[in-house]
Amino acid sequence: MIHARIRKQFPAGRESAAYMLDIELRAAAGVTVLFGSSGAGKTLTLDCIAGFVRPDEGRIMLDDDILFDAAANVHLPPQQRHCGYVFQNYALFPHMTLRQNLEFAVGSRPRLERHRRVADLLDSFRINDVAGRRPHEVSGGQKQRCSIARALINSPKVLLLDEPARGLDAPLRGEFYAVLRQVRQDFGTPVILVTHDLDECFELGDEMLVMRDGRVVQSGPPAQILDHPSSIDVARLLGRHILIEGEILALDPGRNSSRVRTDSFELTGSYFPGHLLGDRVWLYLRPSSLRAAPRTARMSANQVAVVLQRVVQTPRATRMEFDQDFMVETATRPTAADLAIREWAIDIPPEAVRVI
């Protein structure tokens, strides 16, 4: 279990603005994901936990050990913190073989114990057959597995991963996910993972902390955050919603219904607790919750007339993009006849209408 309260300030410079990291996090067993855009403070948070950066204020505890306490002037060096760290570029020694990288990291244990530990990890991470090669002689996935094995070789109390899947192609990325699931199962080490890839949050994360400008703006399970972003900024960071500004026209808690007007149309939705008539709100709609059909002469309630702009095929779904920033994701591939149709109607179920 790690509990960290970190405050680190960087003053403004001639060509840089001031920056403040002010974060509190708790991470237990499983994978805690730090999610956010570049500059949110994700890597800086890892570096403070690992001891590479000294915070200005706060306290960092790992189980019962105090790693940092500003008030008590405690700041343990990285080698005393029992943190395993996997860097973005893996940071393997280029002049050493993979086996030698592990042997160097294992430290001053008895020789037989060192040999056994290295052999076990080479076997666990399936790099026995390339153990005698140097990092530049192996694949990205093999370097990655060696880097994770090296981080785990001294049985750390927490594993810190800084965008470890960055730059990997789809097969290697899938291989990494399998490796990390194995680490979670076999080692039980709490993991803090930095990423800006939302799919990776869902693939690996038990808990997700959304970071923006050095602060945590929302936390919780990834599915909960995607379904209920706490603010328009979080919804924009997630990048998976259609966002439309509107005004609440009607609220009926007895019928669990509401009515919202935008610049172009009106929608019926579920009741929105905590809001009042006349409130300006943001609607957020999930493209996967919407349906599209060729437009007919008579439009039904909760339908919006749109014009098809383009169709994008992805491995998991077909994304139909329309004007007014509407998108619909479907598992069904449109036919050639569908693609020739320009005028469509988006059907928006009332339960899909949500507001921030």
Side-chain angles (χ1 to χ4, degrees):
M1 172 75 176
I2 184 164
H3 180 203
R5 289 183 292 104
I6 300 168
R7 188 178 175 91
K8 178 67 178 178
Q9 185 171 10
F10 295 90
R14 178 176 296 179
E15 297 182 345
S16 59
Y19 182 83
M20 169 74 79
L21 176 70
D22 191 353
I23 183 176
E24 181 168 1
L25 68 84
R26 296 176 184 268
V31 178
T32 300
V33 179
L34 304 184
F35 173 84
S37 57
S38 296
K42 306 182 301 294
T43 297
L44 179 58
T45 299
L46 291 196
D47 288 346
C48 288
I49 292 172
F52 301 129
V53 173
R54 181 168 186 153
D56 300 324
E57 301 175 31
R59 197 173 197 233
I60 303 173
M61 290 198 66
L62 182 55
D63 293 337
D64 295 325
D65 298 328
I66 299 176
L67 309 185
F68 170 78
D69 190 323
N73 197 30
V74 174
H75 179 66
L76 295 185
Q79 63 271 23
Q80 295 180 18
R81 294 199 175 202
H82 304 292
C83 297
Y85 201 127
V86 177
F87 298 88
Q88 288 184 15
N89 62 358
Y90 310 136
L92 296 172
F93 293 112
H95 63 288
M96 294 182 180
T97 66
L98 301 192
R99 181 184 294 276
Q100 289 168 340
N101 267 274
L102 296 188
E103 289 173 341
F104 180 82
V106 79
S108 57
R109 300 184 183 187
R111 181 178 178 182
L112 184 60
E113 184 181 345
R114 291 202 310 269
H115 178 79
R116 185 182 299 115
R117 182 65 174 163
V118 169
D120 286 346
L121 285 172
L122 289 172
D123 183 61
S124 294
F125 286 90
R126 304 190 310 280
I127 48 178
N128 266 320
D129 55 341
V130 293
R133 296 183 186 176
R134 293 181 173 85
H136 72 276
E137 298 173 326
V138 300
S139 71
Q142 290 165 333
K143 283 190 285 191
Q144 180 194 68
R145 293 202 301 272
C146 183
S147 181
I148 296 174
R150 187 181 64 177
L152 289 169
I153 201 162
N154 286 311
S155 303
K157 294 182 178 180
V158 64
L159 180 62
L160 310 174
L161 302 173
D162 189 6
E163 297 195 53
R166 185 178 183 179
L168 296 182
D169 57 26
L172 289 179
R173 186 179 291 264
E175 187 177 304
F176 162 66
Y177 295 158
V179 167
L180 196 57
R181 282 191 289 267
Q182 176 192 341
V183 168
R184 182 168 51 186
Q185 176 181 330
D186 295 349
F187 294 87
T189 306
V191 176
I192 301 178
L193 169 70
V194 161
T195 186
H196 58 262
D197 186 327
L198 188 61
D199 289 335
E200 198 160 281
C201 295
F202 275 78
E203 188 77 37
L204 300 170
D206 299 297
E207 188 78 3
M208 176 178 170
L209 276 64
V210 181
M211 295 184 64
R212 183 174 184 268
D213 296 334
R215 288 170 171 78
V216 174
V217 290
Q218 190 172 357
S219 63
Q224 178 182 315
I225 291 176
L226 185 62
D227 286 342
H228 303 284
S230 61
S231 68
I232 188 66
D233 288 333
V234 171
R236 285 173 174 154
L237 276 174
L238 297 174
R240 300 295 178 90
H241 301 92
I242 300 163
L243 302 171
I244 306 167
E245 195 171 7
E247 179 185 354
I248 296 179
L249 296 181
L251 290 168
D252 190 338
R255 296 183 179 181
N256 188 30
S257 68
S258 65
R259 192 77 180 163
V260 181
R261 178 175 58 202
T262 73
D263 290 341
S264 306
F265 50 84
E266 292 185 11
L267 293 175
T268 297
S270 303
Y271 176 69
F272 306 133
H275 290 280
L276 302 173
L277 295 179
D279 278 358
R280 297 294 298 180
V281 293
W282 282 93
L283 304 177
Y284 65 98
L285 310 173
R286 294 277 302 279
S288 59
S289 301
L290 311 182
R291 295 185 294 272
R295 192 189 311 175
T296 60
R298 184 176 180 179
M299 297 283 288
S300 302
N302 269 37
Q303 283 192 330
V304 178
V306 292
V307 176
L308 181 64
Q309 303 288 336
R310 66 173 186 153
V311 175
V312 179
Q313 301 285 355
T314 69
R316 298 182 181 179
T318 298
R319 185 172 70 246
M320 303 178 71
E321 299 181 355
F322 303 90
D323 65 342
Q324 303 182 63
D325 295 326
F326 271 99
M327 293 183 293
V328 173
E329 292 181 352
T330 174
T332 305
R333 290 178 178 269
T335 66
D338 290 335
L339 296 179
I341 300 171
R342 306 302 299 166
E343 296 186 346
W344 290 71
I346 302 291
D347 185 35
I348 305 174
E351 63 272 15
V353 180
R354 298 175 178 175
V355 302
I356 300 175

